[in-house]
Structures are given as structure tokens and as C-alpha cells.
Amino acid sequence: MWWLLILVGVSGQVRGAIQGPDYDDTPSPEFLNPSWMSTIPDERLLSELSIPGTHDTMSLFGGVYAECQTWPLALQLRAGVRFLDIRVRHVEGNLTIHHGVVYQNAHFGDVLDSVRDFLASYPSETILMRVKEEFSETNNIYSAVVEHIHRYASWEMLWHSRLVPTMGQARGKLIILQNFYGPDLGMRYASMDIADHWKVPTLQHLEKKWQSVYEHLEAAPHGDKDRMFLTYSSGSGIFAFPKTVAQLVNPQLHEYLKAKRDLNQRLGIICMDFPAAPLIQTIIGFQLKATVSKPTQFSKCIQPHCNLV
């Protein structure tokens, strides 16, 4: 049986691009929702929201072991993603984007450029960004991160507190979730309630992976409202590539969320590989039903070109 599971895992990487309701590895999303936070009341804490995010946000290159997304950052943001997982390699003050050993043809400055431009266009929104060091072990990226923020964005664009902001306080801000040593730049990543059971050695371990996702999502509505919940649905292993895991976990996640969509609950941040626009919208919809009296308007995104509204 084990060899059959391995074969399924490998074959899942060679099929053509898929755009479904829960999984999407095409170049662009089915539709966009760039300003969904505009309907959130100013007094609501970010910790009370349900927020779509992407794991290894910039990992678009490197083959089946490294690729976790296919949409560029600008499209992810316009599709509704508000949590970014950014991994930087540090070499003499330079910060390149990596997934493990694989260089992602991008620089931390490129990430900040995209974030700055997006927030300038959509000041009703906020972006949460985990930043951690990857494929270097200097444990000293603070100065380089600060220098890049000054060069590519602005100091005023940051949320300068460990406390969870309200939506009104966060609008137009980049919230650094600091996963490295140094003085505070924003919130501390370790302050969050996190479920990141990313090791999925083979497809036989998918049930255990999904169970960890399920249990954390079940706990989120009743958890401490002063802490942000973060659930990673992503995973990988030597015989379970990120695409394969996403193809099998994303549908379970989507079905779970659809079954709860009549409930007024916060689920926290849900961080995914290859999410589809309808899955992202389902996550967004948990708070929209309580505050929006008319249907959300979407901009159509037709491949291969998108109307970036």
C-alpha cells in the first residue's frame, strides 16, 4: 500500500494546472476582493477576525518540493490574502527571499514595495507579515530589516506595538509579526496561538495533519480574544509534496468552513498553500455576514490577465 500512496503523491505533481473552489495552482485567481476589510467596524480587534493567509508566500519557484504558491504577491493581496509568511536569507545586510535552499527570485525590498503600493491603493486594509530568517543562521537580521523598511516603505507605515490593534488602528498599516531577535518592530510571532504541524512524511500522515487543523479551528472561537490564532493547513514531506498535501487538505478545510458559515465565529488566521479564491472568500465571509447588508462586489479576474482594481 505504501508504494501506491507514494505514486499518488508524485502523480499529483505532474497533472495540469487546476482552478477549483478550494485549490488553485493557476497563474491568477478566479476573482478578486481587494478591500474586504473596509466593512469591518473600526472598534473590532484584529484577533476577532477570520483572516486568509498564505504559507511561504513568495515560494513560486523550485519544483515540487519548494513551490507553495503560483500567484504573485500583488495578486494574492488583491484576492484577499492579509497574512504573509516571509522568509529571508541574510548575507551582509542583504535580505533575499528563500524557501529552504531555494532562492525565490525576489528580495525583501520587492515584498515591501508590493505591500506599500497595495496599502496606498487600499488604505482600508491592513497586512500582517511574519518575518523570519531562512537558509542563514546569523540570528541578527534586525538592523537589515529596519534598513529595508526605511528604504522601501516607511517607518510610519508600521504598527509599533506588541498589543493587538483594532481595525481602525490597523488600517493602512503593515503589522510585523516578529520572528527574530531585536527590539520590537511590531507584534511578536510567538505571542500568537499557533498550530503549525507542517511535517507530513507521507500521505498516510494526512489524517493526523487534518486533525491538528480541525482541533485548532475548533478552539479558535472560544480562545483568548487578546491573542491571535494562527492555523497552518499547509504541510510537506519527502513523499508528500506541498501541492499534494494542499490538493487533499484544502477540500477538507473548505467543507469544514462551509458547514459553519451560518455561525458568527472568529477562526483567526488560516494560512494555506495554493488556496482558491472561493476558499479565501469563505474565510472572509465569517465576519462579513455580521456587518454587510448587501452582497460583496467582486472584480472578475480572467486568465491570463487580471483587472487589478
Side-chain angles (χ1 to χ4, degrees):
M1 179 63 70
W2 62 268
W3 59 268
L4 180 59
L5 290 172
I6 293 172
L7 180 61
V8 170
V10 173
S11 65
Q13 309 305 316
V14 298
R15 67 177 69 178
I18 301 168
Q19 186 172 79
D22 39 59
Y23 172 91
D24 192 341
D25 62 4
T26 65
S28 53
E30 182 181 351
F31 55 80
L32 305 175
N33 191 2
S35 57
W36 63 268
M37 286 180 153
S38 63
T39 61
I40 305 297
D42 279 348
E43 65 273 12
R44 187 164 299 175
L45 288 170
L46 289 194
S47 56
E48 296 180 291
L49 305 186
S50 299
I51 298 174
T54 47
H55 158 257
D56 254 301
T57 300
M58 300 294 289
S59 293
L60 280 68
F61 305 97
V64 295
Y65 284 108
E67 293 169 12
C68 298
Q69 313 297 332
T70 52
W71 304 340
L73 179 54
L75 277 180
Q76 291 185 39
L77 294 172
R78 284 163 172 78
V81 170
R82 294 294 176 268
F83 170 87
L84 311 180
D85 178 21
I86 303 299
R87 320 290 184 91
V88 297
R89 182 186 184 189
H90 182 216
V91 180
E92 298 180 349
N94 195 36
L95 299 175
T96 54
I97 305 299
H98 267 251
H99 184 184
V101 302
V102 182
Y103 171 54
Q104 292 300 319
N105 301 324
H107 186 272
F108 189 49
D110 300 324
V111 175
L112 292 172
D113 277 343
S114 293
V115 167
R116 182 200 64 223
D117 291 348
F118 177 79
L119 291 175
S121 297
Y122 302 100
S124 63
E125 309 302 290
T126 188
I127 296 171
L128 300 105
M129 182 194 295
R130 176 201 187 184
V131 180
K132 74 179 290 284
E133 187 173 7
E134 182 120 343
F135 195 54
S136 60
E137 298 180 355
T138 67
N139 294 317
N140 187 29
I141 68 171
Y142 177 84
S143 295
V145 170
V146 169
E147 190 274 332
H148 280 69
I149 290 169
H150 281 295
R151 185 192 303 181
Y152 295 97
S154 73
W155 198 244
E156 293 72 26
M157 193 175 75
L158 297 189
W159 168 249
H160 293 287
S161 174
R162 287 193 179 195
L163 299 177
V164 177
T166 64
M167 190 69 248
Q169 292 171 323
R171 295 195 195 280
K173 298 288 187 181
L174 168 63
I175 302 172
I176 298 289
L177 299 170
Q178 192 168 333
N179 200 182
F180 54 89
Y181 297 113
D184 289 351
L185 283 180
M187 296 173 62
R188 294 284 173 167
Y189 182 73
S191 72
M192 307 172 77
D193 192 318
I194 303 170
D196 184 14
H197 302 284
W198 64 270
K199 292 183 179 180
V200 184
T202 72
L203 299 187
Q204 290 177 300
H205 297 82
L206 277 173
E207 183 176 350
K208 183 178 180 181
K209 169 62 187 179
W210 170 247
Q211 188 65 25
S212 73
V213 173
Y214 171 84
E215 291 175 357
H216 205 245
L217 291 177
E218 286 289 290
H222 315 290
D224 185 351
K225 294 299 189 294
D226 291 327
R227 297 184 71 190
M228 299 199 71
F229 268 64
L230 171 58
T231 306
Y232 286 85
S233 66
S234 53
S236 65
I238 190 168
F239 296 123
F241 308 146
K243 276 191 175 184
T244 308
V245 173
Q247 286 169 8
L248 297 172
V249 171
N250 286 13
Q252 293 184 80
L253 174 62
H254 200 203
E255 289 302 312
Y256 170 86
L257 295 172
K258 288 193 296 182
K260 288 180 170 287
R261 61 187 170 189
D262 291 332
L263 301 176
N264 187 18
Q265 294 183 333
R266 70 98 179 235
L267 295 174
I269 300 165
I270 304 177
C271 193
M272 304 163 283
D273 283 342
F274 305 102
L279 174 55
I280 291 171
Q281 186 56 36
T282 299
I283 296 169
I284 292 170
F286 275 86
Q287 56 265 337
L288 289 183
K289 290 193 296 295
T291 58
V292 176
S293 60
K294 60 181 180 180
T296 305
Q297 298 297 313
F298 305 115
S299 57
K300 290 300 292 180
C301 183
I302 308 299
Q303 294 178 280
H305 301 293
C306 290
N307 177 24
L308 301 184
V309 300

